[in-house]
C-alpha cells in the first residue's frame, strides 16, 4: 500500500509525519544516534563496509560533515572507479537560451542497481534512455552528499545532458549539521570548496542545494556565503557548471516552500544558476515567477511531481498538463521522480510504459537535444541492460546484466499507438550484433497507401559535413523473411536552406526498387560492400560511401531507417520483420577488416595488477587491473579515441589453446576482478584488455595487451613417515624455545586458536599437531597427552605456532614477480601509502595558496614586497615538504599519486581586516590544517605499527610545524595591533629585513 498512498499526500504532510515518527523512534531507542537508522549487528550481518579495502567497486554517498571535511573519500579504493570517463561535448557546455527541462531522479523506491560501477546482473534494472528530452539530470537521495554514480554521468554526457549531485540538510540531523556548517564564513567556504573539489574530481557538473531545515536568522548570511561561494568556485573550476537552489528555506530562516520565485527566495536565486521551485504551484505562479526572474526566466525550473502529490495537473499520466502550462509561461520545468513508472509497475511492462510516459513529454515540449554532432558517430542502440552481450556478432555473455555506462547513443524512436500496423521496438531477446539489444521493425505496409516502404526516425543530427567522403556502415538481420530489407536515409540541410535526402539501400535491392525510390529521394546510393558476420551469419554488414559532391557544405540533420521489401515486382501488402544492429559514420574509408591498424599494439601498453588476493586453496582470484599507454605513444590523441575496454580472461592448464571468457566492461583504465573462479590445475591466469574505438571498432584479441598471473601449485602435505621422523626435532625445538624466557626464535604465525580449532589435524605425534590450512602446513605444540590438537581439549602452548616448512621461504614468496611492483617494499601498508599521498596533496594545495598570495602582494598596485617574499618562500617550503614526502614514498616502495589541486583565491582584500591581516590569518589556518593532517598521518603510522613512518613524521615535520604556527600567530597578533593603515607598511618592511623561516 505504500506506493499508491504516496501518490496522494502532500510534501508538507509527509515531512511532518516523518519528523514525528523519527522523534518517537529515537526516544524509544536510547543509544547512539545511528541506532535510529541502523539495525544492531548480528552474527549473520555482513562485515562493515570499509571503503579503503579492495572490493567490487561501488558508488556511495558521503553521510557526515567530518567525512566531507577530511576528504576521506579521495583515499577510498572506490574513488578512481567513480570518476566519469565521458566529457560533456563542447556544444553542450553552455545551456541553451530557451525553456529547459531538468529531471530529478528520486531513489525513494530503493532501486539501487546503479551503485555497482562495473555493472550488475539485473536485466530489468531501472534506466533512462530518453536523454533527448532533457537538459539537466539531478541524482537525488536523502544522504548529506549524494554523488552521481559514474554510469549516469557517462550516459548523460554522451547525449549532451549535464549531471548534478545533491547536497541536502533535513530532519533533526540536518539542524545539527547546519549549526556547524554555518557557524562562520570560513566554515561555509571550506565546505563549499569540498563540494567543488568532489564535482571537479569526479567529473559531474554541479549541485542541487536543498536546505530543508529551519535556520536562525543569524545563520542566513553564512548560508548565502555558502551558496555564493559554491557557485563562484564551481564556475571558476568548471566551465558551464551549475548550482541550483531548491525552494525550501527562506531568507527569514523559515522552512516554507513558496511554490514560486518571490522576494523570500530570490536572494538565493541571485547567488546561483537557478531555482528548483516546489511542485505545489498554482496555474498563474509560473508567469509570476518569470516576471520576478526578468531576463533569467529560463533559470526558473517549476517542479512537477510525477507521483502527483499536490502537483498541478495531478502528475502521473497527466504530467503533460503541467508541462503545457510551463511551456506557455515561457519558463523551465523540473520533473521530479520519473521513476514512478518503474516503482508502480505501470502496465503492460516497464519498457512500454516508460516509452509511453516520455512520449507525453515530447508531445508537449518537443526534442531538446540533437545528436550526432561530431564524427565519428556510432550507436548499437544499447540501453545499458539485457540478457546477453555481443561483440561484433559474437555473444560473449549469455546471462542477464545491467550497466548504464554501456549505453550507446539512444535512437529517438517514435512509438505508435497500439492499433498501428507497423511497430518499432527495442529487442532484447533476439541475437544482437553489438551490445545487448537491437532495433526491430515489424508489421505490414501497403504498396499503394505507404509507397511500398516504412520510414522510422532514428536520430536528429547536427553534423557539419566537409569535403571528405563519408563512410557509413550498418548491420541488418531479417527475422524469418529474407526479403525484408532496411536502408538508411540521411536528411541534409544545405547553405541555401534547401533540404535534400539521400537513401542508402540495402543488399538485394533491384532496379524496380531503385526506380521506386529515385522519385522519392534526391539520391539513391547502392552499397559498396556487403558481407556477413563470421560469428553470426544472419547479420549482414552494409558499407556505403557518400561522396563529397552529394554532401558538400551541408549539415546532417536527420537519420531514418527505411524498411521495404526487396523482392522484384509490386505486392499489395508486405509483411515485414527485420532488425538493425548498429550504425557507424566516419570520414575515413577504413573498413572493419583492417580496423586494428588504428590501435596501439600490445607493446605500447603498460598493464599492471594490484591488490592481488587468492581465496581458499587458490580457487578464487581477486585483482585490480590497470592499464595505460607507455610514454611516447601519443597518449592523449590515441586515448581520446578509446570509448571503452572489454576485459577477457584466459585460464591455461597446459600449452594447448585455452578458452577466452568475457569478464566485463571498463569505462576507465582500470577494472577490479572480484572472486574469479580458478579451476584446479590452472597454471596461468591471463587477463586481456580489448580497446574499443569511438567508431565501434574493437582491437583484435590476439593484438590486445594482457597481464598474466601465475598460479602457485597446490601444497602437498608430507607423508606420515616424514612427520614421525620430524616430530622429535620439533619437540626439541619447542623445549628450547620455552627455556629461553624470551621471544621465540621463529616468528609466530598470526593464527588464533579458534581458527586452528576448526581444522582437523593431519597427524599428531608427541603432543605436536600438524594442520593444513590454505595450502600452508601448520605445526602446533600443545600440553596434555595424545591424540589430537586443539579439538581434543589440549591447551596450546602460547607462541609456538609456526611454519617449519615455510618460515625460511616466507620473505622469498613475498618478493614481487610483477616488474611494476616495488622490490624494496616491506611492512608498508596500503593505508600508510594513501595517507602519504594525501599529505603530498595537502602540501601542494597549501603551496598553491601561498603562491597565489605572493602574486597578489607582488602587484604594482599592492606593492607589499615583504609579504610577497614571505608568501613566496612559504610556497617553496611547502612544495619542498611535498617533495620530501614523495622521496619517502618512493623509498618505502609506495607509488606517488598526485591528486587534483583546487584553484585558490586571487583577491585577498577584506573590508574589515584589510589584505595583510586577512592573508596572514589565512596562512595561520593553513599551517594549522597542515599540522592536523600531519597528526592524522602520524596516527595512521602508529595504528599500522610503522615505526619508520612514525619517526619520519616526528623528526622531520612536527616540531617545525609547531614553530611555524607560533611564528605566524605572532604576525597575526602584530597586524591586529597596527590595523589597516600605515602600520602595515612598517610590518612589511620588518618582513623584508628579517630572515623568514616557515
Amino acid at each position: 500500500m505504500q506506493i499508491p498512498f504516496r501518490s496522494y499526500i502532500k510534501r508538507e504532510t509527509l515531512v511532518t509525519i516523518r519528523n514525528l515518527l523519527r522523534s518517537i523512534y529515537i526516544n524509544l531507542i536510547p543509544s547512539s544516534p545511528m541506532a535510529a537508522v541502523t539495525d544492531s549487528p548480528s552474527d549473520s550481518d555482513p562485515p562493515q563496509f570499509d571503503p579503503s579495502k579492495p572490493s567490487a567497486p561501488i558508488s556511495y554517498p558521503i553521510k557526515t560533515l567530518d567525512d566531507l571535511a577530511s576528504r576521506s573519500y579521495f583515499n577510498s579504493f572506490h574513488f578512481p572507479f567513480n570518476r566519469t570517463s565521458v566529457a560533456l561535448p563542447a556544444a553542450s557546455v553552455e545551456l541553451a537560451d530557451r525553456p529547459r527541462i531538468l529531471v530529478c531522479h528520486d531513489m525513494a523506491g530503493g532501486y539501487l542497481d546503479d551503485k555497482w560501477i562495473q555493472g550488475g546482473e539485473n536485466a530489468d534494472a531501472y534506466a533512462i534512455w530518453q536523454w533527448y528530452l532533457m537538459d539537466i539530470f539531478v541524482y537525488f537521495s536523502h544522504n548529506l552528499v549524494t554523488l552521481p554514480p559514474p554510469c549516469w554521468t557517462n550516459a548523460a554526457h554522451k547525449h549532451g545532458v549535464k549531471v548534478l549531485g545533491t547536497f541536502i540538510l533535513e530532519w533533526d540531523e540536518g539542524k545539527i549539521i547546519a549549526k556547524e556548517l554555518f557557524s562562520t564564513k570560513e566554515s561555509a567556504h571550506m565546505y563549499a570548496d569540498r563540494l567543488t573539489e568532489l564535482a571537479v574530481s569526479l567529473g559531474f557538473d554541479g549541485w542541487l542545494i536543498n536546505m530543508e531545515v529551519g535556520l536562525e536568522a543569524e545563520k542566513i548570511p553564512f548560508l548565502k556565503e555558502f551558496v555564493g561561494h559554491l557557485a563562484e568556485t564551481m564556475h571558476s573550476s568548471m566551465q558551464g557548471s551549475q548550482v541550483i537552489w531548491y525552494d525550501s528555506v527562506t531568507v527569514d530562516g523559515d522552512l516554507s516552500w513558496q511554490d514560486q520565485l518571490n522576494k523570500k527566495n530570490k536572494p538565493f536565486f541571485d547567488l546561483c544558476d537557478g531555482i528548483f521551485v516546489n511542485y505545489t504551484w498554482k496555474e498563474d505562479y509560473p508567469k509570476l515567477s518569470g516576471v520576478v526572474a526578468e531576463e533569467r526566466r529560463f533559470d526558473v525550473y517549476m517542479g512537477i511531481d510525477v507521483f502527483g502529490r499536490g502537483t498541478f495537473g495531478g502528475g502521473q499520466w497527466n504530467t503533460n498538463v503541467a508541462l503545457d502550462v510551463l511551456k506557455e509561461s515561457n519558463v523551465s520545468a523540473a520533473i521530479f521522480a520519473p521513476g514512478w513508472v518503474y516503482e508502480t509497475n505501470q502496465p503492460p511492462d516497464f519498457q512500454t510504459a516508460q516509452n509511453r510516459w516520455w512520449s507525453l513529454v515530447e508531445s508537449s515540449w518537443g526534442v531538446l537535444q540533437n545528436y550526432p554532432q561530431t564524427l565519428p558517430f556510432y550507436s548499437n542502440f544499447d540501453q545499458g541492460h539485457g540478457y546477453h552481450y555481443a561483440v561484433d556478432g559474437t555473444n560473449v555473455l549469455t546471462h542477464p546484466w545491467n550497466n548504464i555506462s554501456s549505453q550507446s547513443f539512444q535512437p529517438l524512436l517514435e512509438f505508435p499507438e497500439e492499433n498501428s500496423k507497423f511497430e518499432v521496438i527495442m529487442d532484447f531477446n533476439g541475437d544482437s550484433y553489438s551490445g545487448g539489444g537491437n532495433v526491430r521493425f515489424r508489421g505490414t505496409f501497403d504498396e499503394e497507401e505507404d509507397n511500398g516502404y516504412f520510414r522510422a526516425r532514428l536520430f536528429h543530427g547536427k553534423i557539419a559535413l566537409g569535403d571528405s567522403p563519408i563512410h557509413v556502415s550498418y548491420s541488418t538481420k531479417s527475422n524469418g523473411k529474407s526479403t525484408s530489407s532496411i536502408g538508411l536515409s540521411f536528411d541534409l540541410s544545405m547553405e541555401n536552406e534547401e533540404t535534400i535526402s539521400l537513401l542508402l539501400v540495402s543488399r538485394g535491392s533491384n532496379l524496380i526498387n531503385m526506380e521506386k525510390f529515385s522519385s522519392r529521394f534526391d539520391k539513391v546510393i547502392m552499397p559498396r560492400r556487403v558481407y556477413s558476420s563470421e560469428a553470426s551469419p544472419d547479420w549482414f554488414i552494409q558499407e556505403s560511401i557518400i561522396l563529397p559532391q552529394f554532401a558538400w557544405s551541408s549539415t546532417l540533420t536527420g537519420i531514418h531507417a527505411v524498411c521495404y521489401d526487396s523482392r522484384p515486382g509490386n505486392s499489395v501488402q508486405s509483411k515485414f520483420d527485420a532488425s538493425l544492429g548498429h550504425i557507424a559514420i566516419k570520414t575515413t574509408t577504413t573498413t572493419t577488416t583492417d580496423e586494428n591498424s588504428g590501435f596501439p599494439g600490445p607493446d605500447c601498453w603498460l598493464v599492471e595488477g594490484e591488490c592481488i588476493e587468492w581465496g581458499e586453496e587458490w580457487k578464487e582470484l581477486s585483482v585490480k587491473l590497470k592499464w595505460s599507454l607507455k610514454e611516447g605513444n601519443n597518449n592523449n590523441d590515441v586515448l581520446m579515441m578509446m570509448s571503452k575496454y572489454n576485459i577477457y580472461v584466459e585460464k591455461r592448464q597446459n600449452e594447448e589453446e585455452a578458452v577466452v571468457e568475457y569478464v566485463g566492461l571498463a569505462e576507465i583504465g582500470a577494472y577490479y576482478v572480484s572472486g574469479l573462479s580458478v579451476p584446479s590445475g590452472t597454471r596461468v591466469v591471463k587477463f586481456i584488455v580489448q580497446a574499443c574505438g569511438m567508431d565501434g571498432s574493437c582491437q583484435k584479441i590476439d593484438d590486445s595487451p594482457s597481464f598474466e598471473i601465475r598460479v602457485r601449485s597446490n601444497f602437498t602435505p608430507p607423508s606420515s613417515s616424514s612427520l614421525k621422523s620430524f616430530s622429535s626435532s620439533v619437540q626439541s625445538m619447542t623445549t628450547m624455545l620455552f627455556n629461553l624466557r624470551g621471544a621465540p626464535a621463529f616468528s609466530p604465525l598470526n593464527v588464533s586458536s579458534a581458527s586452528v580449532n576448526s581444522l582437523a589435524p593431519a597427524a599428531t605425534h608427541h603432543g605436536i599437531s600438524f594442520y593444513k590450512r590454505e595450502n600452508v602446513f601448520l605445526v602446533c605444540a600443545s600440553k596434555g597427552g595424545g591424540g589430537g590438537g586443539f579439538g581434543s581439549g589440549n591447551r596450546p602452548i602460547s607462541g609456538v605456532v609456526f611454519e617449519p616448512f615455510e618460515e625460511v621461504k616466507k620473505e622469498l614468496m613475498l618478493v614481487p614477480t610483477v616488474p611494476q611492483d616495488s622490490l624494496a617494499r616491506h611492512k608498508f601498508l596500503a593505508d600508510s601509502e594513501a595517507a602519504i599521498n594525501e599529505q603530498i596533496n595537502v602540501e601542494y594545495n597549501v603551496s598553491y595558496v601561498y603562491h597565489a598570495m605572493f602574486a597578489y602582494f607582488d602587484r604594482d598596485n599592492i606593492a607589499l614586497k615583504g609579504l610577497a617574499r614571505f608568501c613566496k618562500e612559504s610556497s617553496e617550503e611547502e612544495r619542498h615538504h611535498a617533495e620530501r614526502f614523495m622521496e619517502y614514498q618512493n623509498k618505502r616502495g609506495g607509488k606517488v599519486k598526485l591528486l587534483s589541486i583546487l584553484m585558490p583565491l586571487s583577491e585577498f582584500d577584506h573590508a574589515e581586516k584589510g589584505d595583510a591581516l586577512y592573508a596572514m590569518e589565512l596562512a595561520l589556518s593553513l599551517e594549522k590544517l597542515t599540522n592536523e593532517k600531519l597528526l592524522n598521518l602520524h596516527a595512521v603510522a602508529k595504528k599500522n605499527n610503522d615505526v619508520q613512518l612514525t619517526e619520519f613524521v616526528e623528526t622531520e615535520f612536527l616540531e617545525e610545524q609547531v614553530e611555524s604556527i607560533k611564528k605566524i600567530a605572532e604576525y597575526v597578533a602584530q597586524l591586529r595591533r597596527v590595523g589597516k593603515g600605515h602600520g602595515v607598511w612598517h610590518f612589511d618592511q620588518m618582513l623584508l629585513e628579517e630572515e623568514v623561516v616557515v
Side-chain angles (χ1 to χ4, degrees), residues 813-967:
M813 292 171 64
L814 294 176
V815 174
T817 58
V818 180
Q820 294 80 18
D821 287 352
S822 169
L823 296 172
R825 188 169 187 136
H826 187 243
K827 304 294 184 183
F828 189 51
L829 299 184
D831 48 353
S832 294
E833 180 181 1
I836 292 175
N837 281 328
E838 181 182 2
Q839 189 64 37
I840 293 171
N841 183 255
V842 170
E843 303 288 351
Y844 269 128
N845 269 286
V846 174
S847 173
Y848 207 32
V849 176
Y850 272 129
H851 223 162
M853 293 164 66
F854 155 72
Y856 172 82
F857 288 113
D858 192 52
R859 292 183 196 170
D860 66 289
N861 59 335
I862 306 297
L864 293 174
K865 296 298 184 179
L867 280 163
R869 192 187 78 165
F870 166 81
C871 294
K872 182 179 180 181
E873 294 184 2
S874 297
S875 176
E876 293 171 349
E877 180 69 14
E878 299 300 335
R879 187 179 64 190
H880 178 60
H881 289 176
E883 292 172 352
R884 286 162 68 185
F885 276 112
M886 294 169 78
E887 292 170 355
Y888 183 81
Q889 184 84 289
N890 289 333
K891 184 185 297 184
R892 294 295 302 276
K895 288 185 179 179
V896 174
K897 296 182 180 179
L898 298 180
L899 306 175
S900 59
I901 300 177
L902 285 179
M903 187 183 75
L905 299 174
S906 57
E907 301 292 334
F908 295 91
D909 198 12
H910 192 279
E912 298 176 3
K913 302 175 182 178
D915 48 11
L917 175 57
Y918 177 67
M920 198 59 71
E921 287 183 347
L922 177 59
L924 180 60
S925 65
L926 289 173
E927 296 298 334
K928 288 183 176 180
L929 173 64
T930 303
N931 188 56
E932 180 182 347
K933 295 299 183 180
L934 284 170
L935 293 174
N936 291 341
L937 175 60
H938 185 272
V940 171
K942 191 173 181 181
K943 181 190 71 174
N944 293 336
N945 196 25
D946 193 332
V947 180
Q948 289 92 346
L949 179 56
T950 304
E951 183 182 14
F952 177 67
V953 175
E954 289 175 350
T955 58
E956 299 290 331
F957 295 97
L958 287 181
E959 183 178 357
E960 178 184 328
Q961 197 64 33
V962 172
E963 292 175 353
S964 296
I965 292 173
K966 174 64 164 56
K967 185 67 174 178

Side-chain angles (χ1 to χ4, degrees), residues 472 474 486-490 502-506 523 525 544 546:
V472 182
Y474 63 100
I486 300 176
L488 295 179
S489 71
F490 286 8
L502 305 180
L503 174 64
L504 281 60
V505 295
S506 181
K523 179 65 179 179
I525 301 175
S544 302
I546 302 176

Side-chain angles (χ1 to χ4, degrees), residues 777-797:
F777 207 77
L778 308 181
V779 181
C780 304
S782 59
K783 292 183 178 179
F790 296 141
S792 302
N794 296 320
R795 183 166 60 87
I797 301 175

Side-chain angles (χ1 to χ4, degrees), residues 13 44 98 104 198 335 337 342 367 447 715 811 918 948 997:
T13 307
S44 60
R98 54 159 172 77
C104 192
L198 283 166
I335 299 174
Y342 186 85
V367 174
E447 178 67 29
F715 182 83
E811 293 301 329
Y918 177 67
Q948 289 92 346
V997 180

Side-chain angles (χ1 to χ4, degrees), residues 21 37 47-48 90 120 122 193 211 247 355 401 418 425 456 504 834 889:
L21 292 175
V37 294
Q48 185 177 4
N122 180 13
D193 288 340
M211 296 292 169
D247 169 28
N355 292 330
W401 65 276
E418 294 181 3
I425 62 171
L504 281 60
Q889 184 84 289

Side-chain angles (χ1 to χ4, degrees), residues 247 383 392 415 429 431 435 540 637 678 703 868 986:
D247 169 28
Q383 287 186 357
D392 290 341
F415 298 92
N429 295 312
D431 288 339
F540 283 86
D637 293 340
V678 179
D703 295 331
H986 285 285

